[in-house]
Amino acid sequence: MRQLLLLRHAKSSWDDPSLPDHARPLNARGRRAAQAMAAAMRDLGLAPDVVLVSSARRTLQTLEAIAPFPDSPMVEPMDDLYLAPWPRLLDLLRRAPETARSILLIGHNPGLQDLALALVGAGGMTGGAAVAARRIAEGFPTCALAEFSIATPWHDLAEGGGRLVRFLAPADLPEMAI
């Protein structure tokens, strides 16, 4: 079994309207949410061996805030992930090294939410993961994490090809209730 972690970047700042979208940094709430998500990921033992991250400043800063990981994963910043639609994200995952046991993809909405729903497929909207799948359908907040179990090789990943293990949003974390 393989593991796929989909993480939306943390909350970004709109304080400087002259900055291009690609250059927007995290705001204080985003940094706090990313640190809380990092702690949750450590507690759950989620440690990717490959990280695919959009080249946008806010995604790179999200990665900095959730690192370090136990086994120093291969990190690949990618321009192609910036605001990519879900079919493009799926295509990039299909090119992942087959030796990768766990991949963390840090990206943007709506592509990330759409990819999560595509991986869940119609069958995933019923059964044990249905509540989490419906939460994803309602929204994929900043710094939210969807964990999937993948039974196929990466190159065969397709719609309906993921089993949703959990969906965790910053609002679910005790650290963010403060």
Side-chain angles (χ1 to χ4, degrees):
M1 283 301 222
R2 290 170 175 76
Q3 177 185 64
L4 175 61
L5 306 169
L6 302 178
L7 180 67
R8 185 173 174 201
H9 66 80
K11 192 85 172 153
S12 60
S13 173
W14 291 90
D15 290 347
D16 184 349
S18 69
L19 278 180
D21 181 69
H22 194 270
R24 286 190 299 111
L26 295 184
N27 66 18
R29 183 174 138 211
R31 285 189 298 277
R32 202 175 93 204
Q35 291 165 352
M37 189 58 70
M41 289 174 72
R42 278 191 297 276
D43 291 347
L44 293 167
L46 303 177
D49 42 16
V50 173
V51 178
L52 305 177
V53 59
S54 163
S55 60
R57 184 174 179 192
R58 61 191 177 271
T59 52
L60 293 170
Q61 287 182 332
T62 299
L63 174 59
E64 287 172 18
I66 64 170
F69 296 104
D71 296 324
S72 300
M74 178 189 84
V75 175
E76 188 172 350
M78 303 175 78
D79 291 336
D80 281 354
L81 290 176
Y82 176 64
L83 301 180
W86 78 265
R88 180 71 182 135
L89 297 174
L90 183 61
D91 184 51
L92 291 167
L93 286 168
R94 287 179 181 143
R95 297 181 196 173
E98 288 305 323
T99 55
R101 178 196 59 77
S102 176
I103 296 177
L104 169 61
L105 189 154
I106 306 174
H108 310 267
N109 255 6
L112 214 56
Q113 179 180 11
D114 294 343
L115 174 62
L117 292 172
L119 291 173
V120 165
M125 297 307 275
T126 61
V131 172
R134 282 193 293 276
R135 282 184 66 204
I136 291 172
E138 291 168 6
F140 204 112
T142 53
C143 211
L145 176 76
E147 178 187 356
F148 288 89
S149 178
I150 308 293
T152 64
W154 294 115
H155 63 82
D156 289 336
L157 188 59
E159 287 185 65
R163 185 179 60 80
L164 183 61
V165 175
R166 73 179 47 110
F167 181 67
L168 193 58
D172 302 328
L173 305 175
E175 299 92 325
M176 294 305 292
I178 299 170

